[in-house]
Amino acid sequence: MARVVVDVMLKPEILDPQGQAVQRALPRLGFDGIADVRQGKRFELELEGPVDDAALARIREAAETFLANTVIEDFTVRIEEEAK
Protein backbone atom coordinates (compact mmCIF):
# COMPACT_ATOMS: atom_id res chain seq x y z
CA MET A 1 0.00 0.00 0.00
CA ALA A 2 1.14 3.49 -0.75
CA ARG A 3 0.39 6.59 1.29
CA VAL A 4 -0.26 10.02 -0.15
CA VAL A 5 -0.38 13.04 2.14
CA VAL A 6 -2.45 16.14 1.46
CA ASP A 7 -1.47 19.15 3.58
CA VAL A 8 -3.99 21.99 3.69
CA MET A 9 -3.06 25.45 5.01
CA LEU A 10 -4.79 28.80 5.08
CA LYS A 11 -3.50 31.12 2.39
CA PRO A 12 -0.91 33.59 3.76
CA GLU A 13 -3.27 36.55 3.40
CA ILE A 14 -6.02 34.84 5.47
CA LEU A 15 -6.11 35.55 9.20
CA ASP A 16 -5.37 32.44 11.31
CA PRO A 17 -6.95 32.99 14.75
CA GLN A 18 -6.13 29.47 15.96
CA GLY A 19 -2.48 29.91 15.00
CA GLN A 20 -2.41 33.29 16.74
CA ALA A 21 -3.88 31.79 19.92
CA VAL A 22 -1.20 29.11 19.94
CA GLN A 23 1.52 31.70 19.28
CA ARG A 24 0.34 33.80 22.25
CA ALA A 25 0.18 30.76 24.55
CA LEU A 26 3.63 29.35 23.78
CA PRO A 27 5.69 31.98 25.69
CA ARG A 28 3.44 31.59 28.74
CA LEU A 29 4.28 27.88 28.66
CA GLY A 30 8.02 28.53 28.42
CA PHE A 31 8.43 28.14 24.65
CA ASP A 32 10.14 31.38 23.62
CA GLY A 33 11.52 32.48 20.26
CA ILE A 34 8.65 31.33 18.04
CA ALA A 35 7.77 34.20 15.72
CA ASP A 36 4.63 32.85 14.01
CA VAL A 37 2.29 29.87 14.07
CA ARG A 38 -0.06 28.77 11.28
CA GLN A 39 -2.42 25.87 11.82
CA GLY A 40 -3.49 23.50 9.07
CA LYS A 41 -4.87 20.06 8.28
CA ARG A 42 -3.13 16.86 7.18
CA PHE A 43 -4.91 14.07 5.34
CA GLU A 44 -3.24 10.67 4.89
CA LEU A 45 -4.70 8.60 2.07
CA GLU A 46 -3.80 4.91 1.75
CA LEU A 47 -3.99 3.77 -1.86
CA GLU A 48 -4.83 0.23 -2.89
CA GLY A 49 -2.82 0.37 -6.09
CA PRO A 50 0.31 2.11 -7.31
CA VAL A 51 0.81 5.85 -7.03
CA ASP A 52 0.86 6.76 -10.69
CA ASP A 53 0.01 10.01 -12.47
CA ALA A 54 -3.67 9.05 -12.71
CA ALA A 55 -3.92 8.34 -8.97
CA LEU A 56 -2.21 11.61 -8.09
CA ALA A 57 -4.54 13.50 -10.45
CA ARG A 58 -7.58 11.97 -8.69
CA ILE A 59 -6.17 12.91 -5.28
CA ARG A 60 -5.50 16.48 -6.42
CA GLU A 61 -9.09 16.61 -7.70
CA ALA A 62 -10.38 15.36 -4.32
CA ALA A 63 -8.24 17.91 -2.50
CA GLU A 64 -9.44 20.75 -4.70
CA THR A 65 -13.14 19.85 -4.50
CA PHE A 66 -13.50 18.32 -1.03
CA LEU A 67 -10.48 18.42 1.28
CA ALA A 68 -9.60 22.11 0.87
CA ASN A 69 -11.62 25.27 0.51
CA THR A 70 -9.53 26.73 -2.29
CA VAL A 71 -10.97 30.20 -1.77
CA ILE A 72 -9.08 30.51 1.53
CA GLU A 73 -6.77 27.45 1.61
CA ASP A 74 -3.81 26.12 -0.35
CA PHE A 75 -2.91 22.44 -0.50
CA THR A 76 0.05 20.25 -1.39
CA VAL A 77 0.02 16.59 -2.38
CA ARG A 78 3.02 14.37 -1.77
CA ILE A 79 3.88 10.70 -1.65
CA GLU A 80 5.07 9.62 1.77
CA GLU A 81 7.96 7.23 1.72
CA GLU A 82 7.64 4.07 3.78
CA ALA A 83 9.68 3.96 6.98
CA LYS A 84 12.51 1.45 6.83
Side-chain angles (χ1 to χ4, degrees):
M1 287 192 135
R3 177 180 292 164
V4 177
V5 176
V6 179
D7 290 308
V8 180
M9 296 292 294
L10 287 171
K11 292 182 177 184
E13 61 272 16
I14 302 297
L15 181 67
D16 183 358
Q18 290 176 308
Q20 290 175 339
V22 170
Q23 180 187 7
R24 287 191 303 271
L26 287 171
R28 291 193 305 265
L29 298 170
F31 299 100
D32 296 318
I34 298 173
D36 192 26
V37 175
R38 303 279 298 169
Q39 183 170 313
K41 300 178 279 191
R42 173 185 164 113
F43 297 92
E44 296 180 358
L45 294 89
E46 298 285 339
L47 301 186
E48 293 176 347
V51 181
D52 56 14
D53 290 341
L56 286 174
R58 290 291 293 161
I59 291 170
R60 284 188 186 94
E61 182 182 3
E64 189 168 354
T65 60
F66 180 67
L67 301 178
N69 177 349
T70 56
V71 173
I72 62 170
E73 295 173 318
D74 291 325
F75 67 88
T76 59
V77 175
R78 63 185 168 84
I79 301 168
E80 187 169 88
E81 299 293 326
E82 291 184 36
K84 299 193 183 208

